[in-house]
């Protein structure tokens, strides 16, 4: 049964002719001049909860009440592949009819589980890998499309209809995936596989989209407020405060929605050394959003949105390990630093989506401006200090540190025309432009008694401009069979300048330019087996842009290195099956994929200086399975399982990688299972639930490389519990993360191991127990 309110029906009437305004590392940057340095369209805003875990999973359907809160779902209401409508193909259609693997995570469900950040919800999402240095510094990969430390993003990130982050290595795009607080989000979408035709550069392995709530022009003043408190073993107190207010300005015409939050993570890594501190990886994240929705005419919709977020922390999330013995150097969850490692990040994002319905087609004009500033410091005392003291034959230096400041200012403009749906021939056509300017300033300094030496001072300003045209055609050959063809042609121009000084690089100024044209394509066949099941085949491609870099004289070969590196591309072949069955009490989604990746962009070294090369080929094959079952109104089960076999298919001599080597940071097997039980306490709705997730063994790097030696990451199992009750005027939820306090290794950085430094290992959060209160008004 589908639950609807007056608000739902009004919004649906409007969205029958519109998609709505929403269409949504490791942190160690690798410098081009010195080796180691410091380095989210989506679902329309249906007033329905997407329920648990994955699209394709049967889950409670929550109706949004007139005060902006959400009523608890009736256990008899289910959200299936037929009732969930998504716009991954730029038009609304049931998830079962979309020929790709899509997972959706509702913000309501994430909050119910006690999830607060990317670290929480991606840790339990099968087939999605994340390496992180701490809040604000994370790299995401899907389906094995990663080389460990990626040159530029392989997973695109969108906020509503806006692409977020830098597309280049100079803007740190791969290392700075948006870790967005769950600030008035509707849901998060994960599109698996290449999305280059509709979403452009970087979306090679998939897409992560944050979808925010629209202002509500119906009803009166409404909102909600919430607090969360939790404690982490070996760490401090965590707390979050948030509030949302929706102000209708004129019924059916205009509304303003404002939200704000403050999130404090107490951390669980302890630092010894020059400035001891407990919970050094703790972070403070603050943010706010204001969104204005205007519908001045029947066919015109305007949404203006401003978002800001700031992250601060005192250190990294790494534990120091002996690379050879694989034992912690200083104790459980401890690191040794002689120099503090502060991190600051500031994000501003402003967007305007103007939408007009001509009847024969819908025009969207989406303009956006974003500013991302990140400053980070890393202790270099255990790497460069011994190296330089050895050169001088005396203990001249005692401490060393590197600093990096990355700033990106990015303007994007998109014009898109979309035909009405449910026709024999459907089409989408669009134009896209982006202008991106980045600065990347780096310093490495050593100091000792009465002496301070600059090893490196570098400025690396760069520009990136891209023009693209894209479109697709869907032809319904019959009521059951549909075929889609799509194409995107993108041309980019880049400029790069490098000014350096210091012992490592000398005083020099270099510049380079590049331009390239990339084409991506899409072909799908989708066949409706029954009204509730379908099979599909999908061939899609993706790419990352190439770029300029300094041309160096290779002293070992006597030749000049190329002044540019080429785009890398991949082609994906996918077969899938989606179904609702057992009278829509169960859902199943299965996909098989085979991805061929060529001209892979890789880090290399010439004369001890970092450069980017194209080399080698890789192939990733696998299976993804997501399902759900609601056997009774009280019980709900869901699960996900992925198998991925990603390997090089060609030797890469520059990094000592060999054909057959597994791709880094990718488990062969991963899975999760959810179970929830709904019941009544007196007249109040309550629930209890559990999630068990498994992540298989991974490699941090290629097995034979000497630049970043491989550190084996064992498999681990994590168990989470949750319970809650709806008291009508307020909802109370309790949760336990990592019940058995497993030490799950999430990622490892080994950049400093060749210089005598430690392997730096990031762990999942230890056992955390919390409670949260949410009150609508």
């Amino acid at each position: 049964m589908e639950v609807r309110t007056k608000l739902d029906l009004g919004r649906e009437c409007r969205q029958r002719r519109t998609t709505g305004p929403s269409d949504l590392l490791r942190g160690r940057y690798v410098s081009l001049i010195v080796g180691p340095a410091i380095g989210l369209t989506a679902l329309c805003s249906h007033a329905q909860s997407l329920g648990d875990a994955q699209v394709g999973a049967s889950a409670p359907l929550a109706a949004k009440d007139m005060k902006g809160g959400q009523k608890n779902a009736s256990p008899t209401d289910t959200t299936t592949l037929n009732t969930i409508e998504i716009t991954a193909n730029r038009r609304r259609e049931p998830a079962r009819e979309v020929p790709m693997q899509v997972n959706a995570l509702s913000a309501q469900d994430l909050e119910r589980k006690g999830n607060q950040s990317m670290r929480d919800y991606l840790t339990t999402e099968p087939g999605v890998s994340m390496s992180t240095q701490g809040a604000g510094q994370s790299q995401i990969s899907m389906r094995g499309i990663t080389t460990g430390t990626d040159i530029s993003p392989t997973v695109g990130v969108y906020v509503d209809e806006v692409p977020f982050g830098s597309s280049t290595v100079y803007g740190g795009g791969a290392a700075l995936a948006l870790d967005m607080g769950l600030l008035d989000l509707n849901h998060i979408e994960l599109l698996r596989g290449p999305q280059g035709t509709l979403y452009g550069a970087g979306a090679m392995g998939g897409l992560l989209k944050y979808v925010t709530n629209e202002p509500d022009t119906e009803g009166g003043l409404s909102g909600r407020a919430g607090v969360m408190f939790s404690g982490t073993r070996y760490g401090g107190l965590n707390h979050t405060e948030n509030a949302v207010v929706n102000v209708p300005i004129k019924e059916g015409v205009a509304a303003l929605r404002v939200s704000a939050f403050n999130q404090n993570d107490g951390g669980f890594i302890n630092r010894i050394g020059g400035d001891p501190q407990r919970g050094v990886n703790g972070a403070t994240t603050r943010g706010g959003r204001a969104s204005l929705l205007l519908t001045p005419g029947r066919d015109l919709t305007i949404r203006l949105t401003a978002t800001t977020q700031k992250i601060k922390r005192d250190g990294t999330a790494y534990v120091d390990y002996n690379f050879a013995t694989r034992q912690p150097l200083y104790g459980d969850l401890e690191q040794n630093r002689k120099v503090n490692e502060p991190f600051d990040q500031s994000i501003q994002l402003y967007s305007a989506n103007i939408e007009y319905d001509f009847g024969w087609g819908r025009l969207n004009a989406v303009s956006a401006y974003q500013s991302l500033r990140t400053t980070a410091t890393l202790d270099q005392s255990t790497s460069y200090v011994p190296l330089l003291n050895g050169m001088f034959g005396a203990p001249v230096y005692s401490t060393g540190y590197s600093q990096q400041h990355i700033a990106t200012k990015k303007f994007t403009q998109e014009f898109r025309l979309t035909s009405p749906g449910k026709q024999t021939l459907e089409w989408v056509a669009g134009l896209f432009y982006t202008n991106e300017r980045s600065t990347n300033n780096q310093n490495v300094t050593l100091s000792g008694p009465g002496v301070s030496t600059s090893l490196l001072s570098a400025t690396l300003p760069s520009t990136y401009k891209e023009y693209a045209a894209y479109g697709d055609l869907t032809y319904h050959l019959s009521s059951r069979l549909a075929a889609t063809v799509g194409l995107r042609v993108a041309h980019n121009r880049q400029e790069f300048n490098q000014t350096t000084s210091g012992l490592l690089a000398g005083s020099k100024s270099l510049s380079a330019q590049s331009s390239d044209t990339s084409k991506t394509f899409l072909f799908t066949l989708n066949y409706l087996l029954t009204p509730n099941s379908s099979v599909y085949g999908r061939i899609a491609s993706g790419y990352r842009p190439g770029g300029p870099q300094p041309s160096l004289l290779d002293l070992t070969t006597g030749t000049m290195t190329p002044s540019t590196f080429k785009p890398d591309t991949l082609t994906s072949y996918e077969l899938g099956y989606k179904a609702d069955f057992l009278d829509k009490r169960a859902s199943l989604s299965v996909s098989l994929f085979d991805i061929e990746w060529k001209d892979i962009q890789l880090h290399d070294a010439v004369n001890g200086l970092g450069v980017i090369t194209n080399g080698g080929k890789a192939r990733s094959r696998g299976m993804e399975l997501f399902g759900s079952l609601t056997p009774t109104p009280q019980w709900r089960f869901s699960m996900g399982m992925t198998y991925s076999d990603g390997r090089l298919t060609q030797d890469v001599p520059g990094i000592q990688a060999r054909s057959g080597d597994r791709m880094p940071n990718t488990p062969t097997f991963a899975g999760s299972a959810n179970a929830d039980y709904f019941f009544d306490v007196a007249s109040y709705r309550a629930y209890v639930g559990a999630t068990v997730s498994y992540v298989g063994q991974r490699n941090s790097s290629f097995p034979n490389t000497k630049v970043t030696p491989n550190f084996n990451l064992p498999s681990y199992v994590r168990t989470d519990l949750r319970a809650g009750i709806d008291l009508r005027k307020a909802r109370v939820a309790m949760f336990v993360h990592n019940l058995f306090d497993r030490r799950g290794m999430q990622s490892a950085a080994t950049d400093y191991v060749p210089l005598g430094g430690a392997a730096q290992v990031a762990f999942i959060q230890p056992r955390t127990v919390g409670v949260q209160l949410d009150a609508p008004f």
Side-chain angles (χ1 to χ4, degrees), residues 72 681 684-685 724-732 773-774:
N72 260 9
V681 177
Y684 303 115
R685 194 71 53 79
I725 188 169
D726 187 350
L727 301 174
R728 298 191 182 95
K729 292 185 177 181
R731 292 183 291 272
V732 181
L773 175 68
D774 183 70

Side-chain angles (χ1 to χ4, degrees), residues 110-116 119-121 124 230-233 718-722 734-742 764-770:
L110 294 175
E111 293 171 356
R112 183 169 61 88
K113 293 179 177 180
N115 293 335
Q116 297 290 310
R119 176 195 64 192
D120 297 325
Y121 52 78
T124 59
S230 68
T232 301
R233 190 180 184 190
R718 166 176 157 165
T719 304
D720 299 343
L721 303 179
R722 55 189 171 271
M734 295 164 284
F735 60 88
V736 181
H737 291 167
N738 198 1
L739 174 65
F740 301 106
D741 198 32
R742 303 299 189 193
I764 64 172
Q765 191 174 26
R767 181 166 58 241
T768 300
V769 181

Side-chain angles (χ1 to χ4, degrees), residues 100-113:
M100 72 174 75
Q101 187 67 264
V102 185
N103 307 123
L105 316 173
S106 76
Q108 181 191 27
D109 190 58
L110 294 175
E111 293 171 356
R112 183 169 61 88
K113 293 179 177 180

Side-chain angles (χ1 to χ4, degrees), residues 14 17 217 250 252-254 293-298 300-302:
R14 190 177 80 241
R17 51 184 175 80
T217 62
K250 184 176 181 180
V253 176
L293 182 66
L294 303 170
T295 55
R298 183 178 65 87
L300 179 64
T301 302
I302 302 171

